[in-house]
Amino acid sequence: MLILGIESSCDETGVALISDKEGLLADALHTQIDMHRAYGGVVPELASRDHIRRAVALADEVLAKAGKRREDLDGIAVTEGPGLAGALLVGASVAHAIAWALEIPVIGIHHLEGHLLAARLADPKPEFPFLALLVSGGHTQIMRVESFGRYEMLGQTLDDAAGEAFDKTAQLLGLPYPGGPAVSALADKGRSGAIELARPMIHSPNLDMSFSGLKTSVLTAVRNAPNPEDEVFRADLARGFVDAVTDVLAAKLIRAMKQTKLKRVVVAGGVSANRQLRERLISEVKKRRGEIFFPPMRLCTDNGAMIAAAGLARFERMTPEALESLRGKGAFGVKPRWQLTDTERL
């Protein structure tokens, strides 16, 4: 079975080709970071227009890399949500148009399900069940993954996502968008403990999190600084922020391991590429004799490979009748707000 995956939920256009026999054959990604940097964040209308320019070209590029033709495809998987409505509609339009022309099935994939399965594209890959920490610009969640399609939400941020807090902190420090890599690099020059910041909900008995108070703590530190442009202060503040985020995520993940008795952990999403966070979580999990898995570094951010992998997994579990029902439907929609636990359990 040969599946084309298309991701266009936000500011990356990703396309990939995966085979049930040969694995990931090819993938391509176009990021819009340079375009959005001038605005300090993603502009939805610009994102949608850029997806229109890139999606078909990237699909042709991926097929050429793999030495395949469109006619070789058995199905298409596309991100159906959550995400920016206009951006999602571009990917869905391209996917359904190709599928209609080829008379093959197309299936909508939950964006976070793709991130969950991205670690299974690495070698070694995690076996089920496992704990998952999804941490990105729009989501910070801890989930129990019993098996494919069986997800239980254990805890999540009650306000801002960790990645969003990185971006806001970068703005306060005069750093470029996206904030994660820039704040992390500046933090390497800072001193741990020089500036202590809030760690909301770190001691709460549940697994929920909050990062809005941390953003306020950073803002207060900047406003109260005698010279907020001082390089030593900026580096120390970046270090204090990274330490605070890392402490909260590590504490919640450790608590989740204790509560679930699970020793296998997957960390996914764009913030999972953060070096300081990786080092801390690897250390904490290994102290507890657990296993920790990350996606390949290039697959931490949004990409087509994770959508192709999730699509292949779903297609393989469908009956011939179910597959036929997805062929040439014509009408389609997207789900900008979509809970992962609402996806069909297979």
Side-chain angles (χ1 to χ4, degrees):
M1 183 176 284
L2 189 65
I3 302 299
L4 184 73
I6 300 175
E7 154 63 24
S8 68
S9 64
C10 190
D11 59 345
E12 271 110 10
T13 315
V15 182
L17 195 65
I18 195 167
S19 163
D20 60 336
K21 295 182 173 62
E22 302 171 81
L24 184 63
L25 299 178
D27 65 291
L29 181 72
H30 173 77
T31 180
Q32 302 172 1
I33 285 176
D34 289 342
M35 179 175 66
H36 296 296
R37 182 174 284 130
Y39 305 94
V42 177
V43 181
E45 178 64 22
L46 294 180
S48 301
R49 292 182 182 184
D50 199 60
H51 287 310
I52 293 171
R53 289 191 288 267
R54 309 290 179 180
V56 174
L58 287 176
D60 289 340
E61 177 185 332
V62 164
L63 287 165
K65 282 182 181 178
K68 304 291 185 182
R69 304 172 304 151
R70 291 183 185 178
E71 291 75 15
D72 296 325
L73 295 174
D74 295 300
I76 300 177
V78 61
T79 303
E80 191 171 331
L84 302 174
L88 291 167
L89 281 169
V90 174
S93 299
V94 171
H96 282 268
I98 296 174
W100 182 84
L102 298 175
E103 297 183 342
I104 58 176
V106 57
I107 189 170
I109 297 298
H110 195 290
H111 178 77
L112 297 185
E113 184 169 65
H115 276 305
L116 279 178
L117 297 181
R120 288 177 59 83
L121 292 170
D123 184 21
K125 65 181 181 181
E127 299 299 330
F128 299 112
F130 56 77
L131 269 178
L133 172 63
L134 293 176
V135 54
S136 67
H139 304 275
T140 305
Q141 302 173 335
I142 297 176
M143 307 197 74
R144 180 188 178 102
V145 180
E146 191 63 34
S147 61
F148 179 79
R150 297 183 62 195
Y151 313 118
E152 179 188 359
M153 182 74 69
L154 301 178
Q156 60 186 322
T157 179
L158 302 181
D159 38 60
D160 300 331
E164 182 182 356
F166 266 98
D167 288 337
K168 296 299 183 183
T169 296
Q171 287 183 338
L172 291 170
L173 290 172
L175 297 172
Y177 172 85
V183 172
S184 181
L186 183 58
D188 277 337
K189 303 175 183 178
R191 299 166 295 172
S192 289
I195 298 178
E196 287 292 333
L197 299 174
R199 288 156 170 76
M201 299 186 69
I202 191 171
H203 298 300
S204 65
N206 59 32
L207 300 178
D208 289 331
M209 294 157 278
S210 170
F211 294 101
S212 63
L214 175 56
K215 286 195 318 182
T216 302
S217 188
V218 173
L219 176 60
T220 301
V222 171
R223 286 178 172 174
N224 292 340
N227 181 10
E229 296 183 359
D230 177 73
E231 288 303 312
V232 173
F233 166 77
R234 293 172 71 249
D236 287 346
L237 184 57
R239 185 76 217 190
F241 170 80
V242 171
D243 287 348
V245 172
T246 300
D247 284 351
V248 170
L249 293 175
K252 295 296 181 174
L253 186 59
I254 292 166
R255 188 166 293 129
M257 291 179 70
K258 291 179 179 177
Q259 291 181 6
T260 63
K261 311 299 184 186
L262 288 172
K263 297 286 190 178
R264 194 176 298 120
V265 174
V266 166
V267 185
V271 183
S272 70
N274 181 276
R275 182 182 56 77
Q276 292 102 333
L277 178 62
R278 281 192 174 219
E279 290 176 354
R280 174 68 178 280
L281 295 182
I282 288 171
S283 174
E284 296 291 353
V285 172
K286 287 188 174 179
K287 282 180 186 176
R288 290 155 180 82
R289 298 183 180 180
E291 299 176 282
I292 188 166
F293 300 84
F294 298 87
M297 189 65 76
R298 67 185 183 86
L299 300 183
C300 287
T301 55
D302 297 349
N303 62 85
M306 68 184 194
I307 302 303
L312 176 62
R314 287 201 171 269
F315 276 128
E316 287 180 327
R317 287 162 174 77
M318 288 185 174
T319 64
E321 293 77 19
L323 283 173
E324 187 62 32
S325 71
L326 298 175
R327 196 186 307 272
K329 292 175 62 176
F332 62 88
V334 295
K335 299 173 182 174
R337 295 184 180 275
W338 188 14
Q339 293 296 321
L340 180 58
T341 48
D342 290 339
T343 55
E344 179 185 2
R345 293 188 171 217
L346 297 177

